[in-house]
Amino acid sequence: MQEPLEFTVKYLGYVYVDKPGGGLPDGTAVQKAAKLLKSNQKAARALHPLFARGFDTELKLHLTDSNLRVTIQSEEKGEVVVMNHPLHKIAFVVDIGSCVCIIVKRPGQGKFNCHSFECAKDKLAYDIAFQTARVCNEMFRKIRRVSHRVRRRKPSANAKPQAAHAPKQMQQLLEEDVAAASAVAETEAATIQEATQEIAEEKVKITGKQIELKFLSNISPFLFVLCCTHTGRQLNAQQHEDEDKSKADERAVHFIDNVGDKLAALVLGVKAFDACVFEIDLDSDEFRFGEISGDAEC
């Protein structure tokens, strides 16, 4: 388990970014939510009385390999947890200037909260977004591998073997793997633990043939320079293309919907996830937020 990362932030509040019919909210919806939380809080509160309710004081955002916690320092109670989300509920993360928005799944199809945090500098917002996406993707990658292995061990009676799969079919198969593993986790924890242990013990075996370099004694200097120049241009263009793609992808969370809490806990090696819902007291100096009723959305 890696050491928890800690960041100092201010909480701007949250709004709903629901996706009717299911699926993930798009970038436009997230941008709109971020704008409401940063510069148009009055409009956000008009949508719902608990939207855009943040803290005036600094908070600590703690990022571990299993959850994201936000705490406030209390003179009477010490460190008080005001947010605690398992990583498998984080669907989207984006930094917009000095703000970082974390979109978290809440119960229901296509229902999400967009939490916004203000940072001292743009660089800090970027770092939080990058690190959050990194630890989330490591966790989702592990869940995918374990789920696939469990599905192979316990195939569905209706499953039909297929030789090749299109991208959409692959996504559907992944969702089926996770659903099957989540169901197994509720009754057969040992199966999940065994698959997780096997993956942890696997070692990458590099098997390849030795590359033989042959010297060409009769190649002309002109042809050598021409080949190197052309190849260098190709490699340089490919490098820039890869860098641009990397910058676009490095903060993308490869979210898997409907991962069961039990499955995630077994794969990550934690006993259980702490409750994410806290009492709401708008008059308290240590305002706690949590799930609320209503269908308002930005």
Side-chain angles (χ1 to χ4, degrees), residues 84-103:
N84 187 4
H85 282 296
L87 291 187
H88 65 280
K89 300 296 185 183
I90 297 177
F92 200 101
V93 57
V94 61
D95 58 298
I96 304 172
S98 60
C99 287
V100 58
C101 293
I102 299 175
I103 290 75

Side-chain angles (χ1 to χ4, degrees), residues 65-286:
D65 52 8
S66 62
N67 65 358
L68 181 149
R69 289 186 302 111
V70 180
T71 61
I72 185 172
Q73 194 66 29
S74 168
E75 293 182 1
E76 297 179 358
K77 303 178 183 178
E79 191 175 69
V80 178
V81 177
V82 293
M83 177 190 290
N84 187 4
H85 282 296
L87 291 187
H88 65 280
K89 300 296 185 183
I90 297 177
F92 200 101
V93 57
V94 61
D95 58 298
I96 304 172
S98 60
C99 287
V100 58
C101 293
I102 299 175
I103 290 75
V104 180
K105 185 78 165 62
R106 70 180 197 275
Q109 194 70 16
K111 293 183 178 292
F112 298 87
N113 284 357
C114 175
H115 297 282
S116 183
F117 299 90
E118 179 74 27
C119 304
K121 297 181 179 179
D122 293 6
K123 177 64 166 56
L124 179 57
Y126 171 87
D127 288 342
I128 294 174
F130 174 80
Q131 294 293 350
T132 302
R134 180 185 63 80
V135 294
C136 284
N137 287 333
E138 288 177 359
M139 178 268 308
F140 281 126
R141 188 180 302 114
K142 194 171 183 180
I143 287 176
R144 283 196 296 270
R145 294 185 66 191
V146 170
S147 297
H148 181 62
R149 182 158 302 201
V150 170
R151 185 76 183 277
R152 283 190 301 174
R153 285 185 176 186
K154 295 180 173 294
S156 170
N158 299 324
K160 296 180 180 180
Q162 297 181 1
H165 306 289
K168 288 185 178 179
Q169 290 177 311
M170 292 298 293
Q171 180 62 30
Q172 182 180 356
L173 289 172
L174 169 61
E175 292 173 358
E176 290 175 356
D177 283 349
V178 171
S182 294
V184 169
E186 295 298 328
T187 56
E188 302 179 44
T191 301
I192 303 295
Q193 291 170 330
E194 287 173 7
T196 303
Q197 184 64 25
E198 286 176 7
I199 290 173
E201 292 175 353
E202 284 180 350
K203 295 181 180 180
V204 178
K205 295 181 179 179
I206 302 176
T207 55
K209 296 180 179 179
Q210 184 178 1
I211 299 175
E212 184 178 351
L213 299 178
K214 294 184 178 180
F215 178 66
L216 301 178
S217 59
N218 60 345
I219 187 170
S220 70
F222 175 75
L223 178 59
F224 177 78
V225 171
L226 182 63
C227 290
C228 289
T229 303
H230 177 68
T231 304
R233 286 173 180 169
Q234 286 185 316
L235 291 174
N236 192 41
Q238 182 64 43
Q239 182 180 6
H240 284 301
E241 183 179 339
D242 292 344
E243 287 177 353
D244 291 340
K245 183 178 180 182
S246 176
K247 289 178 180 178
D249 292 346
E250 64 188 4
R251 287 162 290 170
V253 176
H254 305 304
F255 179 66
I256 306 173
D257 204 353
N258 298 324
V259 174
D261 288 348
K262 182 72 172 180
L263 171 62
L266 288 170
V267 170
L268 296 176
V270 297
K271 292 182 178 179
F273 293 104
D274 295 332
C276 299
V277 181
F278 298 88
E279 294 181 0
I280 299 172
D281 182 2
L282 294 178
D283 297 324
S284 173
D285 292 335
E286 298 167 1

